[in-house]
Amino acid sequence: MRVLVIGRTGQLARALAARRPAGMALGALGRAQCDLAFPAGIGAAILPHRPDVVINAAAHTAVDRAEAERDLAFRVNATAAGAIAQACTVAGAALIHISTDYVFDGMNPLPYRETDRAGPLNVYGASKLAGERAAREACARTVILRTSWLYSPWGRNFLTTMLALAASRPRIEVVADQRGTPTSALDLAEACLAVARAAADAPAGAPIWGLYHCAGAAACSWAEFAGGLLAAAHRRLGTPMPAIEPIRSADYPAAARRPRSSVLGCQKFESAFALRPRPWPEALGQVLDRIAADPTASPQAVTG
């Protein structure tokens, strides 16, 4: 089976490379080979690889910057998603497209289901919702995975940012009135590979295709997540343990509004693929172990 990942250096792309099973040919196209800001060239980048499955792990994910870069965000997250899906149709490949919990407005106190109405509060969420629609319209053999609060040993994400801040601050202010489901990129990679195995030979019209929620189990606030991850890192890595000061969203000015609750219910995914998401405190340990073992996954490299 030939799997082609769109994206090379992002969290999910690196996790997929780390999780690649024996017997699977896994290639990746970075921005130099497939720049999503220029959708017209996407087909020519994908088709020579003759993939069985394409995983779109690339996106414009800078939530606040997207407010000032609306055209770019929609070009990368929506127009390019449609172009990738069209290339999959031409190649006869299945598509796994990654989306986000930020398609919801956060007003539902219960975990969101796939059938719940979307209502994004920001440009990033709106562009990703448009990308879902573009992908499904252009490729009948598409699986969309909405995920939430992705973290990993690599790059700039909430976990690496908290570890970097812990090295220099005795106290960290963290928003406590937004709730979600932290998701390890390593676990999301395992989910993508399970879907890829099921999707590679499934025909159009098979029940596998469609929209799923795929996120970690155990909902929490950002402040709760920060406290838990710093305590675990202190035990496993010997990193500093600053105090967490919970604050309101209103006290942390940001260009983009965030949903107050974007907890994702993943029962449909569990039933379809027999893969149960792990609670984030359990999945977190594996991520911290990889940081301990891999000097290139150093939180000190992350600032801000």
Side-chain angles (χ1 to χ4, degrees):
M1 178 171 57
R2 296 185 300 274
V3 177
L4 182 64
V5 179
I6 308 302
R8 186 186 293 272
T9 60
Q11 296 186 75
L12 179 56
R14 294 189 66 173
L16 284 163
R19 284 288 187 262
R20 181 185 67 84
M24 177 182 288
L26 184 72
L29 299 179
R31 186 177 297 177
Q33 299 81 34
C34 186
D35 191 340
L36 302 193
F38 300 95
I42 287 174
I46 290 175
L47 293 176
H49 294 270
R50 300 171 59 203
D52 298 304
V53 179
V54 173
I55 301 174
N56 182 17
H60 186 304
T61 58
V63 177
D64 288 316
R65 200 167 71 233
E67 296 296 305
E69 297 177 349
R70 181 182 180 88
D71 289 348
L72 177 61
F74 269 84
R75 191 160 66 249
V76 170
N77 293 342
T79 307
I84 292 168
Q86 180 60 41
C88 287
T89 295
V90 174
L95 172 62
I96 302 171
H97 178 72
I98 307 302
S99 191
T100 175
D101 57 324
Y102 278 19
V103 301
F104 294 114
D105 63 11
M107 299 305 292
N108 189 350
L110 300 175
Y112 279 99
R113 299 180 179 180
E114 291 83 354
T115 52
D116 288 331
R117 184 183 67 84
L121 299 178
N122 53 50
V123 169
Y124 168 69
S127 67
K128 291 296 288 181
L129 182 61
E132 292 181 8
R133 293 167 177 162
R136 295 180 73 171
E137 289 173 0
C139 182
R141 299 176 68 229
T142 294
V143 170
I144 295 168
L145 300 180
R146 287 178 181 157
T147 194
S148 169
W149 293 20
L150 201 64
Y151 67 92
S152 74
W154 307 290
R156 184 186 296 271
N157 61 75
F158 187 77
L159 180 147
T160 55
T161 296
M162 287 297 106
L163 292 180
L165 292 176
S168 60
R169 298 184 185 182
R171 180 176 58 87
I172 307 174
E173 295 181 342
V174 185
V175 169
D177 58 1
Q178 296 173 21
R179 293 183 63 77
T181 39
T183 306
S184 162
L186 294 168
D187 283 4
L188 182 60
E190 292 285 3
C192 288
L193 294 171
V195 175
R197 287 188 287 268
D201 297 320
I208 185 177
W209 312 116
L211 173 64
Y212 299 88
H213 290 171
C214 182
C220 64
S221 70
W222 286 116
E224 290 167 339
F225 186 32
L229 74 85
L230 288 176
H234 179 69
R235 293 191 300 269
R236 289 174 180 258
L237 308 177
T239 53
M241 184 62 199
I244 298 298
E245 182 175 332
I247 62 172
R248 302 173 304 161
S249 299
D251 298 325
Y252 185 82
R257 293 174 62 198
R258 268 78 165 172
R260 289 296 180 94
S261 178
S262 58
V263 177
L264 298 178
C266 302
Q267 293 83 0
K268 179 183 176 183
F269 179 86
E270 294 177 34
S271 176
F273 300 102
L275 190 62
R276 183 183 296 273
R278 292 192 295 171
W280 66 263
E282 178 184 337
L284 174 64
Q286 192 175 49
V287 173
L288 294 175
D289 286 345
R290 183 165 284 270
I291 290 176
D294 183 0
T296 66
S298 172
Q300 280 70 39
V302 180
T303 59

